[in-house]
Amino acid sequence: MPFVTFLPQNIRVEAASGASLLDAAHEAGAILDAECGGEGVCGKCRVRIVSGPIPPGSADFLPQNLLDAGCILACKAALGDEDLIVETTAASRGQGQFAEDAVDEAAVPDRALSRPLAQRFHLAVPPAAPEDGLADADRFAVALGKALPECVGRAPDIPLPVLRTLAQTLRREDGRVSATLALRGENARIIDISPGHDARSLLGAAVDIGTTSVTVSLLDLQSGARLASQSDFNAQISRGLDVISRINYAARPERLEELRRLVLDTINRLVREAAASKGFAPEDIVAAVLAGNTVMSHLVLGLPPEHIRLEPYTPTVREFPTFIAEALGLCMHPRAEIFLSPCVGSYVGGDIVSGLLTTNLAGDASDPEAMELFLDIGTNGELAVGGADFLMTCACSAGPAFEGGGVSCGMPAGAGAVERISIDPQTGALALSVIGGGAPKGLCGSGMISLIAELFRAGLLDPAGKFDRSGASPRIRVDGRRAVFTLAEAAESATDAPLVVNETDVENLIRAKAAIYCACDLLLTHIGLTFDDVATFSIAGGFGRFLNLEDAVTIGLLPDVDRAKFRFLGNACLTGARLALLSEDRRAKQIELARSMTYAELMTSPEYMDGYTAALFLPHTDGTRFPSVKKG
Amino acid sequence: MPFVTFLPQNIRVEAASGASLLDAAHEAGAILDAECGGEGVCGKCRVRIVSGPIPPGSADFLPQNLLDAGCILACKAALGDEDLIVETTAASRGQGQFAEDAVDEAAVPDRALSRPLAQRFHLAVPPAAPEDGLADADRFAVALGKALPECVGRAPDIPLPVLRTLAQTLRREDGRVSATLALRGENARIIDISPGHDARSLLGAAVDIGTTSVTVSLLDLQSGARLASQSDFNAQISRGLDVISRINYAARPERLEELRRLVLDTINRLVREAAASKGFAPEDIVAAVLAGNTVMSHLVLGLPPEHIRLEPYTPTVREFPTFIAEALGLCMHPRAEIFLSPCVGSYVGGDIVSGLLTTNLAGDASDPEAMELFLDIGTNGELAVGGADFLMTCACSAGPAFEGGGVSCGMPAGAGAVERISIDPQTGALALSVIGGGAPKGLCGSGMISLIAELFRAGLLDPAGKFDRSGASPRIRVDGRRAVFTLAEAAESATDAPLVVNETDVENLIRAKAAIYCACDLLLTHIGLTFDDVATFSIAGGFGRFLNLEDAVTIGLLPDVDRAKFRFLGNACLTGARLALLSEDRRAKQIELARSMTYAELMTSPEYMDGYTAALFLPHTDGTRFPSVKKG
């Protein structure tokens, strides 16, 4: 049995002879993307052999120069009997590409801080006296009752580990103690009691658990200030790119447990990094809000998700109990209070409920009659439309194109990603805007939208998504029946390989934008409205730090309405989680929103297929819908 | 470093050369009694060397025949470099002496069963439907709400491990499920949800955690029937005989943890044995009531008890939170509901509060004006006196004599214990009544009381506790300044050693009875009453299956009043725990009793010392207090 070592992670694993290197990588927990499911097509699992015999099987899938350099596709490499050392590429291991400044979060208003998920109180507990007959816990309860008169009835139970040190804690500083509590209406749960009047920061974490990426934001629960944010791919992506493939993978109990561990590992690493970046320990975090879609919420809890995709599409739970961190395996204070954003149903989850907190639909509208459409563009497109009286929601499957998935040189919106392209109308010269500067590594969602819009305006891409094969651009190369656009030559890119976009990539993006546009159109039609009736379009998503509205309208992703009606919310799910962390009212609002939303199952209707097909053009088969869009 | 193996437990431990064998036994968890603290005096740590060199040091402490047989005292044996195999004696390992029929429990009335600590409900959960948008947990809540209309508000949280199997559980038998709940007033906690309508027994455990011994009683929570009982020494006795020595031992954190583990090991073994004896698994137990004195309650929770013995005598907690079994380390269903009987203060604990449930003081008096005195005789004597309007309590230290401790041939009330002695007034011949029949092994508390009363009546013991040295009885032998009474010769005893009682043993029992009598007298005086004002004397304790009232009055333990006023309750603490397990009303009553009790600290008053000294006679220095007692 050979040993395989993965660099740069330096993970060593014993593997079976004959097993594929991709399986060995999964076994080792060294993330290797395998979007195509091991078919040798996507090329994302490319690795380089550093030491040991080069396994055969990649000759048909990689160009000779890469093969000469020792590169192979892990999915096609059968292991022999000898040990291997392999180096994973940044693309194959899918990490390290997120820069903190790429985490797009809206500012949280000052008034947001009101009964955060955990609070600390400084108490003065009277000393033990022979005549009163009170136990330590009784005297603590008296002091707590004075600080918290609104918590009627008897004092909250003291957890056993806290009880075990209570006698010492009360006597260390003459009865002066700090009590950290999770408040739930008139009830309170004791998280910890420590000696003295603790002046250290009290930390909370807001966690956006996306299908593709996870973001952790660290907050000071006493000031509301954001202290740090960390983001990375959800380690589950090595087991499937979308929620359906995760559900399928989780069919066996040990694989469900594996998915739970993978996402926990990602969250816990980000939590540790965020805390360490400001000199804190993870144990300083005493509260967290987790927001994710229904499948992510189920997987992080270890709940089998299979019935989410089986008729009649039933999740195990929609409104989650509150948990303590220890019960979930989160790396925080063991008794940190954990609130999960509630789900509406199988396909509308806590992510959109959380994101709605950032919109007028959360009850802060100056004109409650004004219609608002909230659109969260991710691997799933989820949308909600409503006003004072109703809130209607639906979801559609857009695929991972907007997050850099399913595109030859796609990558998430992080350092090295091309986020914007402009083509000089005179010279045809390209100007690339790269996150963090430097040579480009790949193309993120907003870059892909920008590229397609620019090519369309320049006349280099036709409404059906085919490149101009007339030779008008030297960057367009025709290879048999395929045409390819070269964004950067190998010498210009940071990956030593050319960055190219082919017509299949364009088609994937057109399918994605068609699904989103059509879902919005159909949901409005379903309730008797048109795009013109909507006063505000609130757009959220992980495609980049910003979305160029003209580009999005040009390709037909967003409707051709007054641009002043658009608001871009960035990562609204994360912002909503931060709001919920800081305010009991916002947590109650999430639950209220989830209960008030009506889910419309539109994807199975014939109208959806018609509308989707009509939208598979740039910008649309019906040009009257996009009067402002002109082909270059 | 030699290895020492202890038989019959077959425990092997590596020990340091030069260490005492007693320390090695403690290290191994092989219980060896060491009442005298390793002074070589009590002789209880005697073991036999089966293999290996006989360690020196016991020659001055054991008779030659025992030394010849390879017997040594573990406390005096320093280990050499060679391995040893030693056999512990029944007395030294303090186990196996409890017979089930020696567990003295009162019958529990039929009306006792009313909202037991855990209940099971058979529910019919409606199937998932596409139109209702309900999650599995929502549909379960609907079904539960119908079964439990009194539990207003939202459904109880479903614990994470139960949530993880909920989808499968609901679908296994078409929505028919069994929900096991812990009900607390209008609140409920879900213990488990299982598929189908479970018809198996639902079990609960009542646990009396005594300083000296632990008793577990297994109950059917649906019928109230007692299924099995198991009793044994509290394994903590190897670390000190009374609560003060346990508190001292627990001064270091690792020793506190050791004491916690020791008592848990005892409880868990008894739970397993009780369950197995009726073909159940420990996991079938879904609820338990634990009752013990304040120190035992603290130790089983791992709470440092030091402030219980330091002024102003403050326990960490009096009314305990409810726990789940897993949190305490109890071998039951991991989420079994655990209720601990509340304590009044440092010296009046949950044991007496529990025991009071078996008296009229718990609110069932036909004549509420009638005074009742409740007396629990154990290592601590605890008493309460009250009527309709008040409940006064105090405690005194009696020592372990009534439980077979501190007496040369003392043992607990189990198989082989002499529980009653009669002396033929004509011939002087002894008749011994042995629990379980057969040759006697030792003398339990009731046997010691009986022996002293009979010797006193026969004129062989004077009021000061000195044996008749005139030669009136061949069983009394004078050896220098000590006189000794032989209960059984070596040939007659089950231990191959003579069973003897010396004047120090008699003195220990007289001290114990004097403490109890004086405390009762003083508590009544404190509230302006006399023994004659008391309508009922309720006596509880672990000295044996029954207490001979005449004997107890003869030695001056109980007052010389109308014998019809006495009720003997057996193990009232355990009976009270069973009542609390079966009835929410009785649990509430325990809390109410604990809150209503006023503790009188009488032991430090000068009157106590005067009264105690006056009671150090048989039956009392003031003969007018015992008009019916005549010296033989």
Side-chain angles (χ1 to χ4, degrees):
Chain A
M1 305 247 288
F3 280 94
V4 184
T5 304
F6 294 90
L7 299 177
Q9 303 100 319
N10 202 20
I11 305 172
R12 189 158 180 264
V13 67
E14 189 171 11
S17 304
S20 88
L21 183 56
L22 186 63
D23 287 343
H26 284 179
E27 176 89 13
I31 297 173
L32 283 190
D33 264 354
E35 283 180 29
C36 67
E39 296 296 317
V41 175
C42 74
K44 294 232 167 167
C45 67
R46 198 181 80 205
V47 299
R48 191 174 66 85
I49 301 297
V50 175
S51 161
I54 296 179
S58 297
D60 293 337
F61 301 96
L62 290 178
Q64 194 57 45
N65 63 332
L66 288 177
L67 292 169
D68 290 345
C71 291
I72 57 167
L73 293 183
C75 68
K76 291 294 165 192
L79 293 170
D81 294 314
E82 291 182 56
D83 294 357
L84 283 185
I85 299 176
V86 306
E87 185 185 40
T88 60
T89 63
S92 67
R93 69 177 177 269
Q95 67 176 27
Q97 296 160 331
F98 288 91
E100 184 173 336
D101 64 359
V103 175
D104 199 342
E105 299 173 57
V108 162
D110 283 345
R111 62 166 172 69
L113 193 63
S114 162
R115 290 183 41 119
L117 192 53
Q119 288 179 265
R120 185 159 62 205
F121 297 87
H122 290 166
L123 306 179
V125 179
E131 63 279 1
D132 61 13
L134 295 179
D136 290 341
D138 302 323
R139 289 180 293 113
F140 172 79
V142 168
L144 184 65
K146 284 185 186 163
L148 275 177
E150 74 270 32
C151 285
V152 293
R154 74 190 198 97
D157 286 345
I158 302 175
L160 190 53
V162 181
L163 261 187
R164 286 176 177 157
T165 54
L166 186 65
Q168 196 179 24
T169 301
L170 294 191
R171 287 165 182 82
R172 181 88 67 83
E173 299 211 13
D174 294 327
R176 293 191 311 136
V177 300
S178 301
T180 305
L181 306 177
L183 299 177
R184 305 169 183 169
E186 290 184 345
N187 297 312
R189 183 177 69 77
I190 292 175
I191 295 171
D192 218 341
I193 306 172
S194 57
H197 286 177
D198 196 341
R200 292 177 307 162
S201 298
L202 195 71
L203 304 187
V207 184
D208 161 29
I209 310 177
T211 308
T212 302
S213 56
V214 175
T215 306
V216 170
S217 192
L218 199 64
L219 275 78
D220 183 319
L221 294 178
Q222 290 167 318
S223 70
R226 198 196 76 169
L227 302 175
S229 291
Q230 291 285 334
S231 190
D232 202 348
F233 281 115
N234 180 340
Q236 290 178 341
I237 58 172
S238 59
R239 304 297 183 274
L241 280 182
D242 55 28
V243 292
I244 298 298
S245 57
R246 305 276 170 88
I247 293 173
N248 291 342
Y249 189 84
R252 293 213 306 264
E254 70 276 13
R255 289 182 153 193
L256 169 60
E257 175 61 14
E258 182 191 359
L259 289 179
R260 186 181 79 85
R261 289 272 16 136
L262 284 170
V263 69
L264 273 180
D265 288 348
T266 301
I267 296 170
N268 287 339
R269 182 166 50 77
L270 296 173
V271 164
R272 280 192 297 267
E273 288 171 3
S277 74
K278 300 295 171 186
F280 294 106
E283 291 69 30
D284 295 329
I285 301 170
V286 294
V289 171
L290 312 186
N293 63 48
T294 307
V295 174
M296 289 303 111
S297 298
H298 275 57
L299 290 179
V300 79
L301 296 177
L303 307 180
E306 64 178 301
H307 292 283
I308 290 176
R309 67 160 299 202
L310 296 177
E311 267 194 289
Y313 314 114
T314 311
T316 292
V317 59
R318 296 183 308 170
E319 292 180 16
F320 302 94
T322 46
F323 296 101
I324 62 170
E326 192 173 46
L328 300 192
L330 288 168
C331 177
M332 300 175 182
H333 190 295
R335 289 179 300 280
E337 176 93 339
I338 311 297
F339 176 89
L340 276 86
S341 293
C343 300
V344 176
S346 281
Y347 290 107
V348 176
D351 50 353
I352 197 159
V353 171
S354 180
L356 278 172
L357 283 190
T358 68
T359 72
N360 294 326
L361 296 168
D364 292 330
S366 50
D367 173 10
E369 294 301 313
M371 284 295 138
E372 182 164 352
L373 188 147
F374 173 67
L375 175 59
D376 193 353
I377 304 176
T379 309
N380 275 317
E382 291 165 341
L383 48 152
V385 63
D389 306 324
F390 73 98
L391 193 50
M392 197 89 191
T393 178
C394 77
C396 65
S397 178
F402 290 122
E403 292 173 87
V407 174
S408 306
C409 64
M411 67 176 282
V418 176
E419 59 177 347
R420 201 163 185 182
I421 292 108
S422 57
I423 301 176
D424 188 305
Q426 260 66 48
T427 64
L430 286 190
L432 307 183
S433 172
V434 178
I435 298 179
K441 290 181 182 168
L443 199 55
C444 71
S446 65
M448 187 71 184
I449 292 168
S450 175
L451 175 67
I452 289 177
E454 278 289 89
L455 289 172
F456 180 73
R457 281 191 284 256
L460 298 174
L461 194 67
D462 73 10
K466 300 297 174 197
F467 289 119
D468 180 335
R469 299 171 189 223
S470 67
S473 168
R475 290 180 176 270
I476 296 174
R477 188 164 44 82
V478 182
D479 185 10
R481 302 208 316 212
R482 293 169 71 191
V484 167
F485 180 83
T486 301
L487 191 64
E489 299 294 347
E492 299 162 339
S493 91
T495 61
D496 297 335
L499 300 182
V500 298
V501 173
N502 63 39
E503 287 171 340
T504 307
D505 300 333
V506 175
E507 190 181 319
N508 282 340
L509 196 89
I510 291 178
R511 286 178 192 275
K513 75 95 188 171
I516 302 269
Y517 177 86
C518 168
C520 293
D521 189 27
L522 205 60
L523 184 60
L524 288 169
T525 305
H526 185 71
I527 52 181
L529 299 176
T530 70
F531 284 120
D532 291 330
D533 296 319
V534 176
T536 307
F537 292 85
S538 296
I539 316 294
F543 24 57
R545 288 183 299 180
F546 62 88
L547 179 69
N548 185 286
L549 285 175
E550 283 310 323
D551 290 346
V553 175
T554 295
I555 69 165
L557 169 63
L558 298 179
D560 191 0
V561 296
D562 178 2
R563 306 303 188 254
K565 287 184 170 184
F566 289 109
R567 285 172 63 222
F568 185 58
L569 304 174
N571 188 337
C573 170
L574 183 64
T575 305
R578 286 165 55 204
L579 289 165
L581 184 62
L582 296 178
S583 158
E584 181 170 48
D585 169 66
R586 295 294 89 183
R587 296 190 290 281
K589 176 60 75 175
Q590 282 200 0
I591 293 169
E592 184 193 321
L593 283 168
R595 289 182 184 172
S596 65
M597 284 162 90
T598 309
Y599 177 66
E601 175 53 63
L602 301 178
M603 300 307 103
T604 52
S605 72
E607 288 82 6
Y608 180 75
M609 200 35 79
D610 292 346
Y612 173 71
T613 307
L616 288 174
F617 267 64
L618 296 175
H620 197 275
T621 48
D622 178 3
T624 65
R625 287 174 175 253
F626 289 85
S628 78
V629 177
K630 290 178 186 65
K631 191 174 163 182
Chain B
M1 305 248 286
F3 280 94
V4 184
T5 304
F6 294 91
L7 299 177
Q9 303 100 320
N10 201 21
I11 305 173
R12 189 157 181 266
V13 67
E14 188 171 11
S17 304
S20 88
L21 183 57
L22 186 62
D23 287 342
H26 285 180
E27 177 90 14
I31 297 173
L32 283 189
D33 264 354
E35 284 180 27
C36 68
E39 295 298 316
V41 176
C42 73
K44 294 233 166 166
C45 67
R46 198 181 79 207
V47 299
R48 191 172 67 84
I49 301 297
V50 175
S51 159
I54 295 179
S58 297
D60 294 335
F61 301 95
L62 289 178
Q64 195 57 45
N65 62 333
L66 289 177
L67 292 169
D68 290 346
C71 291
I72 58 166
L73 292 183
C75 67
K76 291 295 167 191
L79 293 170
D81 294 313
E82 291 183 56
D83 294 357
L84 284 185
I85 299 176
V86 306
E87 184 185 40
T88 60
T89 63
S92 67
R93 70 178 176 268
Q95 66 175 27
Q97 296 161 331
F98 288 89
E100 185 173 337
D101 63 359
V103 176
D104 200 341
E105 298 172 59
V108 162
D110 283 345
R111 62 168 171 70
L113 192 64
S114 161
R115 293 189 33 124
L117 193 53
Q119 290 180 264
R120 186 159 61 205
F121 297 87
H122 290 166
L123 307 178
V125 178
E131 63 279 2
D132 61 13
L134 295 179
D136 290 340
D138 302 323
R139 289 180 292 113
F140 171 79
V142 168
L144 184 64
K146 284 185 186 164
L148 275 177
E150 73 271 31
C151 284
V152 292
R154 75 192 196 96
D157 286 345
I158 302 176
L160 190 53
V162 181
L163 262 187
R164 285 177 177 155
T165 54
L166 185 65
Q168 195 178 25
T169 301
L170 294 191
R171 287 165 181 81
R172 181 88 67 84
E173 297 211 15
D174 295 327
R176 295 191 311 137
V177 300
S178 301
T180 305
L181 306 177
L183 299 177
R184 304 168 182 170
E186 290 184 347
N187 296 311
R189 184 178 68 77
I190 292 175
I191 296 171
D192 218 342
I193 307 172
S194 57
H197 285 177
D198 195 341
R200 291 176 309 162
S201 298
L202 194 71
L203 304 187
V207 184
D208 162 28
I209 310 177
T211 308
T212 303
S213 56
V214 175
T215 305
V216 170
S217 191
L218 198 65
L219 276 78
D220 183 319
L221 294 177
Q222 290 168 317
S223 71
R226 199 196 76 168
L227 302 175
S229 291
Q230 292 285 335
S231 189
D232 202 348
F233 280 114
N234 181 339
Q236 291 178 340
I237 59 173
S238 60
R239 303 298 183 273
L241 280 181
D242 55 31
V243 292
I244 297 299
S245 57
R246 305 275 170 88
I247 292 173
N248 291 342
Y249 189 84
R252 293 214 305 264
E254 70 276 14
R255 289 182 154 192
L256 169 60
E257 175 61 15
E258 181 190 359
L259 290 179
R260 188 182 77 85
R261 289 270 20 132
L262 284 170
V263 69
L264 273 181
D265 288 349
T266 301
I267 296 171
N268 287 339
R269 182 166 50 77
L270 296 174
V271 164
R272 280 192 297 269
E273 289 172 2
S277 74
K278 300 294 172 185
F280 294 107
E283 291 69 30
D284 295 330
I285 301 170
V286 293
V289 171
L290 313 185
N293 63 47
T294 307
V295 175
M296 288 302 111
S297 299
H298 276 56
L299 291 178
V300 79
L301 296 178
L303 307 180
E306 64 178 300
H307 293 283
I308 290 176
R309 66 160 301 203
L310 296 176
E311 267 194 286
Y313 315 113
T314 312
T316 292
V317 58
R318 297 183 306 169
E319 291 180 17
F320 301 93
T322 46
F323 297 101
I324 62 170
E326 194 172 47
L328 299 192
L330 287 168
C331 176
M332 300 175 183
H333 189 295
R335 290 180 298 281
E337 176 93 340
I338 310 297
F339 176 91
L340 275 86
S341 294
C343 300
V344 177
S346 281
Y347 291 106
V348 177
D351 49 353
I352 198 161
V353 171
S354 180
L356 277 172
L357 282 190
T358 67
T359 72
N360 294 325
L361 295 168
D364 292 329
S366 50
D367 174 9
E369 294 301 313
M371 286 295 136
E372 181 164 353
L373 188 149
F374 172 68
L375 176 58
D376 193 352
I377 303 175
T379 308
N380 275 319
E382 291 164 343
L383 48 153
V385 62
D389 305 324
F390 73 97
L391 193 51
M392 199 89 191
T393 177
C394 78
C396 65
S397 178
F402 291 123
E403 293 173 86
V407 173
S408 305
C409 63
M411 66 176 283
V418 176
E419 59 176 347
R420 202 164 185 182
I421 291 109
S422 57
I423 301 177
D424 189 306
Q426 258 68 47
T427 65
L430 286 190
L432 308 183
S433 171
V434 178
I435 298 178
K441 290 179 182 170
L443 199 55
C444 71
S446 64
M448 187 71 184
I449 292 168
S450 174
L451 175 67
I452 290 178
E454 278 290 89
L455 289 172
F456 180 74
R457 281 190 284 257
L460 297 173
L461 193 68
D462 73 11
K466 300 298 175 195
F467 290 121
D468 181 336
R469 299 170 188 224
S470 67
S473 168
R475 290 180 175 271
I476 297 174
R477 188 163 44 82
V478 182
D479 185 10
R481 300 207 320 210
R482 294 171 68 193
V484 166
F485 180 84
T486 301
L487 190 65
E489 299 293 346
E492 299 162 340
S493 91
T495 62
D496 297 335
L499 300 183
V500 298
V501 173
N502 61 41
E503 287 170 340
T504 307
D505 300 332
V506 174
E507 191 180 319
N508 282 340
L509 196 90
I510 291 177
R511 286 177 192 276
K513 75 96 187 170
I516 302 266
Y517 177 86
C518 169
C520 293
D521 189 27
L522 206 59
L523 185 60
L524 288 169
T525 305
H526 185 70
I527 51 181
L529 298 176
T530 69
F531 284 120
D532 291 329
D533 296 318
V534 175
T536 307
F537 292 85
S538 295
I539 316 294
F543 23 56
R545 288 183 298 180
F546 62 88
L547 179 69
N548 184 285
L549 285 175
E550 283 309 322
D551 291 346
V553 175
T554 295
I555 70 164
L557 168 63
L558 298 180
D560 191 1
V561 297
D562 177 4
R563 307 302 190 256
K565 287 184 170 184
F566 290 108
R567 284 173 62 221
F568 185 59
L569 304 174
N571 188 339
C573 170
L574 183 64
T575 305
R578 286 165 55 204
L579 288 165
L581 183 62
L582 295 179
S583 159
E584 182 170 48
D585 168 66
R586 296 294 89 182
R587 295 190 291 280
K589 176 60 78 175
Q590 282 200 0
I591 294 169
E592 182 192 324
L593 283 168
R595 289 181 183 173
S596 65
M597 283 162 91
T598 308
Y599 177 67
E601 176 53 62
L602 301 178
M603 300 308 103
T604 54
S605 71
E607 290 81 6
Y608 179 75
M609 199 36 78
D610 293 347
Y612 172 70
T613 307
L616 287 174
F617 266 65
L618 296 176
H620 197 275
T621 48
D622 179 3
T624 63
R625 287 172 174 253
F626 290 85
S628 79
V629 177
K630 291 181 185 65
K631 190 175 163 182

